[in-house]
Short mmCIF file of all heavy atoms in Angstrom, two decimals:
data_model
loop_
_atom_site.label_atom_id
_atom_site.label_comp_id
_atom_site.label_asym_id
_atom_site.label_seq_id
_atom_site.Cartn_x
_atom_site.Cartn_y
_atom_site.Cartn_z
N GLN A 1 332.60 10.13 -0.58
CA GLN A 1 331.80 9.23 0.25
C GLN A 1 330.41 9.82 0.46
O GLN A 1 330.24 11.03 0.57
CB GLN A 1 332.48 8.99 1.59
CG GLN A 1 333.76 8.19 1.47
CD GLN A 1 334.47 8.04 2.80
OE1 GLN A 1 334.17 8.74 3.76
NE2 GLN A 1 335.40 7.13 2.85
N ARG A 2 329.41 8.94 0.50
CA ARG A 2 328.03 9.38 0.70
C ARG A 2 327.44 8.65 1.89
O ARG A 2 327.68 7.46 2.07
CB ARG A 2 327.20 9.08 -0.55
CG ARG A 2 327.67 9.84 -1.76
CD ARG A 2 326.73 9.60 -2.90
NE ARG A 2 327.22 10.29 -4.09
CZ ARG A 2 326.99 9.87 -5.30
NH1 ARG A 2 326.28 8.79 -5.51
NH2 ARG A 2 327.44 10.53 -6.33
N PRO A 3 326.63 9.33 2.68
CA PRO A 3 326.09 8.71 3.90
C PRO A 3 325.11 7.57 3.63
O PRO A 3 324.94 6.71 4.49
CB PRO A 3 325.39 9.86 4.62
CG PRO A 3 325.17 10.90 3.58
CD PRO A 3 326.25 10.72 2.55
N GLN A 4 324.48 7.52 2.46
CA GLN A 4 323.51 6.45 2.21
C GLN A 4 324.17 5.09 2.01
O GLN A 4 323.52 4.06 2.06
CB GLN A 4 322.59 6.76 1.03
CG GLN A 4 323.27 6.77 -0.33
CD GLN A 4 323.69 8.15 -0.77
OE1 GLN A 4 324.05 8.99 0.04
NE2 GLN A 4 323.65 8.40 -2.05
N TYR A 5 325.49 5.10 1.79
CA TYR A 5 326.23 3.85 1.66
C TYR A 5 326.83 3.52 3.02
O TYR A 5 327.61 4.30 3.56
CB TYR A 5 327.35 3.98 0.63
CG TYR A 5 326.88 4.40 -0.74
CD1 TYR A 5 327.38 5.54 -1.34
CD2 TYR A 5 325.94 3.65 -1.43
CE1 TYR A 5 326.95 5.92 -2.61
CE2 TYR A 5 325.51 4.02 -2.69
CZ TYR A 5 326.02 5.16 -3.27
OH TYR A 5 325.60 5.53 -4.51
N SER A 6 326.49 2.39 3.57
CA SER A 6 327.02 2.05 4.88
C SER A 6 327.20 0.54 5.00
O SER A 6 326.62 -0.24 4.24
CB SER A 6 326.07 2.53 5.97
OG SER A 6 324.87 1.78 5.93
N GLU A 7 328.01 0.16 5.98
CA GLU A 7 328.20 -1.26 6.25
C GLU A 7 326.89 -1.87 6.75
O GLU A 7 326.62 -3.04 6.49
CB GLU A 7 329.32 -1.45 7.26
CG GLU A 7 330.68 -1.14 6.67
CD GLU A 7 331.82 -1.40 7.64
OE1 GLU A 7 331.69 -2.29 8.50
OE2 GLU A 7 332.84 -0.71 7.51
N ALA A 8 326.07 -1.08 7.42
CA ALA A 8 324.77 -1.58 7.88
C ALA A 8 323.90 -1.96 6.68
O ALA A 8 323.19 -2.98 6.72
CB ALA A 8 324.08 -0.54 8.74
N ALA A 9 323.95 -1.16 5.62
CA ALA A 9 323.17 -1.48 4.42
C ALA A 9 323.67 -2.78 3.80
O ALA A 9 322.87 -3.61 3.36
CB ALA A 9 323.27 -0.34 3.41
N ILE A 10 324.97 -2.97 3.78
CA ILE A 10 325.54 -4.20 3.22
C ILE A 10 325.07 -5.41 4.03
O ILE A 10 324.66 -6.43 3.46
CB ILE A 10 327.08 -4.13 3.20
CG1 ILE A 10 327.53 -3.03 2.24
CG2 ILE A 10 327.68 -5.47 2.80
CD1 ILE A 10 328.99 -2.66 2.33
N LYS A 11 325.08 -5.29 5.35
CA LYS A 11 324.63 -6.39 6.20
C LYS A 11 323.16 -6.70 5.96
O LYS A 11 322.77 -7.87 5.90
CB LYS A 11 324.87 -6.05 7.68
CG LYS A 11 326.33 -6.08 8.06
CD LYS A 11 326.53 -5.70 9.51
CE LYS A 11 328.03 -5.64 9.84
NZ LYS A 11 328.26 -5.19 11.20
N LYS A 12 322.35 -5.67 5.79
CA LYS A 12 320.92 -5.88 5.50
C LYS A 12 320.74 -6.59 4.17
O LYS A 12 319.92 -7.50 4.05
CB LYS A 12 320.17 -4.55 5.49
CG LYS A 12 319.88 -3.99 6.84
CD LYS A 12 319.06 -2.72 6.72
CE LYS A 12 318.67 -2.20 8.08
NZ LYS A 12 317.82 -1.00 7.98
N ILE A 13 321.46 -6.15 3.16
CA ILE A 13 321.35 -6.77 1.85
C ILE A 13 321.70 -8.24 1.93
O ILE A 13 320.96 -9.10 1.43
CB ILE A 13 322.26 -6.04 0.82
CG1 ILE A 13 321.77 -4.62 0.57
CG2 ILE A 13 322.36 -6.83 -0.48
CD1 ILE A 13 322.76 -3.73 -0.13
N MET A 14 322.81 -8.55 2.58
CA MET A 14 323.26 -9.94 2.66
C MET A 14 322.33 -10.79 3.53
O MET A 14 322.25 -12.01 3.34
CB MET A 14 324.70 -10.01 3.15
CG MET A 14 325.70 -9.41 2.17
SD MET A 14 325.56 -10.05 0.47
CE MET A 14 326.01 -11.77 0.72
N ALA A 15 321.62 -10.17 4.46
CA ALA A 15 320.68 -10.90 5.33
C ALA A 15 319.31 -11.06 4.66
O ALA A 15 318.41 -11.66 5.24
CB ALA A 15 320.54 -10.17 6.66
N GLY A 16 319.17 -10.52 3.47
CA GLY A 16 317.90 -10.64 2.77
C GLY A 16 316.88 -9.59 3.15
O GLY A 16 315.71 -9.69 2.80
N GLU A 17 317.34 -8.56 3.87
CA GLU A 17 316.44 -7.48 4.27
C GLU A 17 316.44 -6.40 3.19
O GLU A 17 317.38 -6.28 2.41
CB GLU A 17 316.90 -6.88 5.60
CG GLU A 17 316.87 -7.85 6.76
CD GLU A 17 317.44 -7.24 8.03
OE1 GLU A 17 317.28 -6.02 8.23
OE2 GLU A 17 318.04 -7.99 8.80
N ARG A 18 315.39 -5.62 3.18
CA ARG A 18 315.29 -4.52 2.23
C ARG A 18 315.97 -3.28 2.82
O ARG A 18 315.97 -3.09 4.03
CB ARG A 18 313.83 -4.25 1.91
CG ARG A 18 313.20 -5.45 1.20
CD ARG A 18 311.72 -5.38 1.15
NE ARG A 18 311.29 -4.32 0.25
CZ ARG A 18 310.06 -3.89 0.15
NH1 ARG A 18 309.11 -4.40 0.90
NH2 ARG A 18 309.75 -2.94 -0.68
N VAL A 19 316.56 -2.46 1.95
CA VAL A 19 317.25 -1.24 2.39
C VAL A 19 316.50 -0.02 1.88
O VAL A 19 315.72 -0.09 0.93
CB VAL A 19 318.73 -1.22 1.92
CG1 VAL A 19 319.52 -2.32 2.59
CG2 VAL A 19 318.84 -1.34 0.42
N GLU A 20 316.76 1.12 2.52
CA GLU A 20 316.12 2.38 2.13
C GLU A 20 316.47 2.72 0.68
O GLU A 20 317.60 2.58 0.25
CB GLU A 20 316.58 3.52 3.03
CG GLU A 20 316.11 3.39 4.47
CD GLU A 20 314.59 3.46 4.61
OE1 GLU A 20 313.94 4.20 3.85
OE2 GLU A 20 314.08 2.74 5.47
N ALA A 21 315.49 3.21 -0.04
CA ALA A 21 315.64 3.48 -1.48
C ALA A 21 316.09 4.92 -1.73
O ALA A 21 315.35 5.70 -2.31
CB ALA A 21 314.33 3.20 -2.18
N SER A 22 317.29 5.26 -1.32
CA SER A 22 317.81 6.59 -1.65
C SER A 22 318.24 6.58 -3.12
O SER A 22 318.36 5.51 -3.74
CB SER A 22 319.00 6.92 -0.76
OG SER A 22 320.09 6.07 -1.06
N ASP A 23 318.47 7.76 -3.68
CA ASP A 23 318.85 7.84 -5.09
C ASP A 23 320.10 7.02 -5.40
O ASP A 23 320.12 6.27 -6.36
CB ASP A 23 319.08 9.29 -5.50
CG ASP A 23 317.79 10.09 -5.57
OD1 ASP A 23 316.72 9.46 -5.68
OD2 ASP A 23 317.85 11.32 -5.52
N GLY A 24 321.13 7.18 -4.60
CA GLY A 24 322.38 6.49 -4.87
C GLY A 24 322.25 4.98 -4.78
O GLY A 24 322.77 4.24 -5.61
N VAL A 25 321.54 4.49 -3.77
CA VAL A 25 321.37 3.06 -3.60
C VAL A 25 320.53 2.48 -4.74
O VAL A 25 320.86 1.44 -5.31
CB VAL A 25 320.75 2.75 -2.21
CG1 VAL A 25 320.39 1.28 -2.09
CG2 VAL A 25 321.70 3.16 -1.10
N SER A 26 319.47 3.17 -5.09
CA SER A 26 318.63 2.73 -6.20
C SER A 26 319.43 2.70 -7.50
O SER A 26 319.32 1.75 -8.29
CB SER A 26 317.43 3.66 -6.33
OG SER A 26 316.60 3.24 -7.37
N ASP A 27 320.25 3.72 -7.73
CA ASP A 27 321.09 3.76 -8.93
C ASP A 27 322.05 2.59 -8.98
O ASP A 27 322.28 2.01 -10.04
CB ASP A 27 321.89 5.07 -9.00
CG ASP A 27 321.02 6.28 -9.28
OD1 ASP A 27 319.84 6.11 -9.67
OD2 ASP A 27 321.51 7.41 -9.09
N LYS A 28 322.63 2.24 -7.83
CA LYS A 28 323.55 1.09 -7.77
C LYS A 28 322.81 -0.19 -8.15
O LYS A 28 323.34 -1.03 -8.89
CB LYS A 28 324.16 0.92 -6.38
CG LYS A 28 325.20 1.95 -6.05
CD LYS A 28 326.45 1.71 -6.84
CE LYS A 28 327.47 2.78 -6.53
NZ LYS A 28 328.57 2.77 -7.48
N LEU A 29 321.59 -0.36 -7.64
CA LEU A 29 320.82 -1.56 -7.94
C LEU A 29 320.47 -1.62 -9.43
O LEU A 29 320.54 -2.68 -10.05
CB LEU A 29 319.56 -1.63 -7.08
CG LEU A 29 318.71 -2.88 -7.25
CD1 LEU A 29 319.50 -4.15 -6.94
CD2 LEU A 29 317.48 -2.79 -6.37
N VAL A 30 320.12 -0.48 -10.01
CA VAL A 30 319.83 -0.43 -11.45
C VAL A 30 321.06 -0.84 -12.24
O VAL A 30 320.97 -1.65 -13.19
CB VAL A 30 319.33 0.97 -11.87
CG1 VAL A 30 319.30 1.12 -13.39
CG2 VAL A 30 317.96 1.25 -11.27
N ARG A 31 322.22 -0.33 -11.87
CA ARG A 31 323.45 -0.68 -12.58
C ARG A 31 323.75 -2.18 -12.47
O ARG A 31 324.20 -2.81 -13.43
CB ARG A 31 324.62 0.15 -12.08
CG ARG A 31 324.55 1.57 -12.57
CD ARG A 31 325.80 2.36 -12.26
NE ARG A 31 325.47 3.77 -12.32
CZ ARG A 31 325.50 4.61 -11.30
NH1 ARG A 31 325.90 4.20 -10.11
NH2 ARG A 31 325.17 5.87 -11.45
N VAL A 32 323.53 -2.73 -11.28
CA VAL A 32 323.74 -4.17 -11.11
C VAL A 32 322.79 -4.94 -12.02
O VAL A 32 323.19 -5.88 -12.71
CB VAL A 32 323.55 -4.59 -9.63
CG1 VAL A 32 323.45 -6.10 -9.48
CG2 VAL A 32 324.70 -4.05 -8.77
N GLY A 33 321.53 -4.52 -12.05
CA GLY A 33 320.56 -5.17 -12.94
C GLY A 33 320.97 -5.07 -14.40
O GLY A 33 320.84 -6.04 -15.16
N GLN A 34 321.49 -3.93 -14.80
CA GLN A 34 321.95 -3.76 -16.17
C GLN A 34 323.16 -4.65 -16.45
O GLN A 34 323.29 -5.20 -17.55
CB GLN A 34 322.30 -2.29 -16.44
CG GLN A 34 321.07 -1.40 -16.48
CD GLN A 34 321.40 0.08 -16.50
OE1 GLN A 34 322.51 0.50 -16.12
NE2 GLN A 34 320.46 0.89 -16.94
N ASP A 35 324.05 -4.80 -15.47
CA ASP A 35 325.20 -5.68 -15.64
C ASP A 35 324.76 -7.12 -15.89
O ASP A 35 325.44 -7.86 -16.60
CB ASP A 35 326.12 -5.64 -14.42
CG ASP A 35 326.89 -4.34 -14.29
OD1 ASP A 35 326.92 -3.56 -15.27
OD2 ASP A 35 327.45 -4.09 -13.21
N PHE A 36 323.63 -7.50 -15.30
CA PHE A 36 323.08 -8.84 -15.50
C PHE A 36 322.16 -8.90 -16.71
O PHE A 36 321.50 -9.90 -16.94
CB PHE A 36 322.33 -9.30 -14.24
CG PHE A 36 323.23 -9.82 -13.16
CD1 PHE A 36 323.75 -8.97 -12.20
CD2 PHE A 36 323.56 -11.17 -13.09
CE1 PHE A 36 324.57 -9.44 -11.19
CE2 PHE A 36 324.38 -11.65 -12.09
CZ PHE A 36 324.89 -10.79 -11.14
#
């Protein structure tokens, strides 16, 4: 488990808010983009 992943981040994402760009979160977004 990593502290940069949180339920608060998920709520922000779903609410259309921007989240802090830590390495892990940015990597997840890149992978999602690659999946698409």
Side-chain angles (χ1 to χ4, degrees):
Q1 291 176 346
R2 296 186 183 151
Q4 69 265 33
Y5 303 122
S6 68
E7 290 183 29
I10 295 168
K11 288 178 184 176
K12 283 183 175 183
I13 293 166
M14 294 309 295
E17 298 175 33
R18 296 166 70 191
V19 295
E20 293 297 325
S22 68
D23 289 340
V25 172
S26 181
D27 290 347
K28 287 288 178 193
L29 183 59
V30 168
R31 286 189 200 115
V32 167
Q34 290 170 339
D35 288 346
F36 280 90

